[in-house]
Amino acid sequence: MTATPGKLVVLSGPSGVGKTTILRVLLNQLPQLIPSVSATTRPPRSGEKDGVDYHFLSPEEFQRRQAAGDFLECCQVYGRQHWYGTLADEVTPRIDAGTWVVLEIDVEGTLLVLKRYPLAVTIFVEPSHPDQLLQRLQGRGTESPEAMARRLEVAHRELLLADRYSHRVINNSVAAAVSEIKQILIDVGLSTTAGAQSLGLQS
Ligand code: 5GP
């Protein structure tokens, strides 16, 4: 018996908008949504685990896999030396088996994904106020002034491409953004039964 294929969900938004937090909460609430683990050539940050946060690859290994056609999409994010990419193996078999898979990738990657999966549900998370990005990046305290300026410049470019997404969500609060995204996914056919059951078991 062939399963009804799952859907591909893409979540993007400028650096500092809070999309990683939103995604973490969303995944807790919707265990039937499976995150794809991207590959990257950037070194792991403290606490990050290979195969969990990213597949951390050497530039040579990344290039080899790119040449082998292993990526659904890949690009150099932020114009840095570092490459990021979605491995087809993380996505295609799961979608074929009826699973919903979510990618957290940048705008350029999203446009590439849409060529392969034109029906992907694309969600762009926007800041509630332009200053929100700067405040969050400053609050993180992990970026040099140059890196912050570059992230803000990239954020500006990404905001200009937000209208290429099927949905836009303003991050007024994490809870509100999560509930809006949940509703979008339910409206496009995500079944809540599995999630409700597993949440029920936990309570
Ligand atoms: P970070 O280095 O902070 O983990 O991620 C930097 C950026 O890379 C984020 O904006 C994230 O959306 C993007 N990114 C992560 N994985 C991928 C991927 O597989 N493909 C693309 N195109 N972008 C990615």
Side-chain angles (χ1 to χ4, degrees):
M1 198 174 67
T2 332
T4 309
K7 276 198 170 62
L8 187 58
V9 179
V10 181
L11 190 73
S12 302
S15 192
V17 78
K19 60 185 183 300
T20 308
T21 309
I22 290 173
L23 183 59
R24 198 177 54 237
V25 177
L26 188 73
L27 291 171
N28 269 333
Q29 296 188 13
L30 297 175
Q32 67 274 48
L33 192 61
I34 302 299
S36 157
V37 179
S38 291
T40 184
T41 59
R42 87 148 161 75
R45 295 187 187 124
S46 135
E48 283 185 334
K49 289 197 175 67
D50 187 34
V52 176
D53 298 287
Y54 281 102
H55 298 288
F56 293 101
L57 304 183
S58 66
E60 296 73 30
E61 178 65 0
F62 195 101
Q63 227 173 20
R64 189 193 66 72
R65 299 204 64 171
Q66 187 181 5
D70 288 354
F71 288 109
L72 206 58
E73 61 78 33
C74 66
C75 54
Q76 229 176 348
V77 176
Y78 300 130
R80 297 177 181 184
Q81 295 94 326
H82 302 311
W83 283 77
Y84 293 79
T86 306
L87 290 161
D89 269 358
E90 288 276 331
V91 175
T92 317
R94 290 177 175 146
I95 300 272
D96 291 348
T99 301
W100 286 51
V101 178
V102 61
L103 313 179
E104 189 214 317
I105 62 173
D106 78 335
V107 173
E108 202 180 334
T110 305
L111 300 182
L112 294 170
V113 164
L114 280 170
K115 290 190 182 156
R116 301 273 287 267
Y117 283 90
L119 298 179
V121 183
T122 53
I123 301 171
F124 190 88
V125 181
E126 295 182 57
S128 55
H129 187 274
D131 288 347
Q132 192 190 14
L133 299 180
L134 183 61
Q135 283 161 6
R136 277 177 194 265
L137 286 174
Q138 281 172 338
R140 259 190 216 170
T142 53
E143 310 286 330
S144 67
E146 296 75 31
M148 236 157 44
R150 194 169 47 229
R151 282 192 185 239
L152 289 175
E153 179 197 318
V154 172
H156 181 69
R157 189 176 57 98
E158 294 203 319
L159 284 166
L160 294 177
L161 287 168
D163 62 355
R164 307 288 283 276
Y165 284 70
S166 53
H167 299 84
R168 297 167 69 155
V169 169
I170 295 177
N171 185 13
N172 283 316
S173 77
V174 172
V178 166
S179 112
E180 202 176 324
I181 294 172
K182 261 167 81 175
Q183 195 54 53
I184 290 169
L185 299 181
I186 290 165
D187 288 349
V188 295
L190 181 71
S191 157
T192 50
T193 323
Q197 275 166 359
S198 71
L199 288 175
L201 284 173
Q202 281 164 13
S203 60

